Amino acid sequence: MASPRQLQYYTVEDIYNLPDGQRAELIDGELYMMATPGRIHQRLVMLLSNRIFNYINSKNGDCEVYPSPFAVFLNADDKLYLEPDISVICDKDKLTEEGCKGAPDWIIEIVSPTSRPMDYNKKLFKYRTAGVREYWIVDPMKRQITVYNFEHDTYEEYSFSDKVKTGIYDDFDMNFAEINIE
C-alpha cells in the first residue's frame, strides 16, 4: 500500500532563503513563486504610488506608501508573507525594518496573467480577514478597477475611464482616464 503524500509546509525562513533574485509569497505555509512583472504592471505601480505619495505629502499626512517588493506580515505566525504591489500604512507602529507587521490600511494589487487567481481569491480573503480597510484590484487586461471597502462591506467596479474614489481618504480620487499606461 502506498503511503499518503506528505505535504510540504513552508515558513518565512524559506522565503528568506530563496536564491537572490527569486521572489515568492507564502500563504498558509504554501509557497507561490512570483513571475517578473511586465512593463505595464510596473508603470501602473509607479504611477499609482506616485499619485498616492503626492496626495499624502500635500496634506502633510502620516501614512506611508510602499511599492513592491515590500514585505507584509498579516498574521503573527510564520506561514504568511505577502508582497502587495502597493501598500499604504497609516499606523507607523506596524512598520519594522523587515516590512509591515499587521494589516496595511490600503492595498493595491496590479493583476498580471499569473497572479489573477491569487489577487481575486486568496489575497482578497486574507486581506479582508486581516483587517485591511481598502483593497483595489487593478486589472490592465480588463481595463477594470475593483474596489473593496472592507470597513463598509462594499465593493464597486470601475473602468479605466472613471474617477475612482478612495475609501480611506474623504477628498482623494484617482482619475484613471488621466493615467497613461501605454
Side-chain angles (χ1 to χ4, degrees), residues 76-89:
D77 64 29
D78 66 347
K79 304 231 181 313
L80 186 62
Y81 170 99
L82 298 170
E83 290 186 3
D85 290 314
I86 302 171
S87 300
V88 178
I89 297 105

Side-chain angles (χ1 to χ4, degrees), residues 29-98:
E30 195 169 336
L31 201 60
Y32 297 90
M33 302 311 291
M34 299 173 70
T36 302
R39 182 186 64 81
I40 290 176
H41 181 281
Q42 288 302 90
R43 182 162 174 79
L44 277 166
V45 168
M46 192 258 320
L47 291 170
L48 298 177
S49 295
N50 188 43
R51 286 180 186 234
I52 297 165
F53 178 83
N54 287 339
Y55 168 81
I56 292 169
N57 274 352
S58 75
K59 301 291 183 178
N60 295 316
D62 289 330
C63 300
E64 295 197 23
V65 182
Y66 293 94
S68 182
F70 178 75
V72 171
F73 306 89
L74 292 176
N75 300 338
D77 64 29
D78 66 347
K79 304 231 181 313
L80 186 62
Y81 170 99
L82 298 170
E83 290 186 3
D85 290 314
I86 302 171
S87 300
V88 178
I89 297 105
C90 300
D91 180 355
K92 292 187 182 178
D93 289 338
K94 293 180 180 180
L95 295 172
T96 68
E97 216 28 61
E98 291 82 30

Side-chain angles (χ1 to χ4, degrees), residues 129-171:
T129 58
V132 171
R133 294 168 56 198
E134 185 166 353
Y135 175 42
W136 288 19
I137 301 173
V138 178
D139 193 329
M141 282 91 44
K142 291 183 177 180
R143 301 189 67 78
Q144 175 180 306
I145 305 99
T146 306
V147 175
Y148 292 91
N149 184 325
F150 297 135
E151 288 185 310
H152 297 104
D153 201 27
T154 62
Y155 86 96
E156 295 184 62
E157 292 184 350
Y158 300 89
S159 76
F160 272 38
S161 60
D162 292 330
K163 276 188 181 179
V164 181
K165 173 88 178 79
T166 62
I168 69 167
Y169 298 110
D170 292 332
D171 61 344

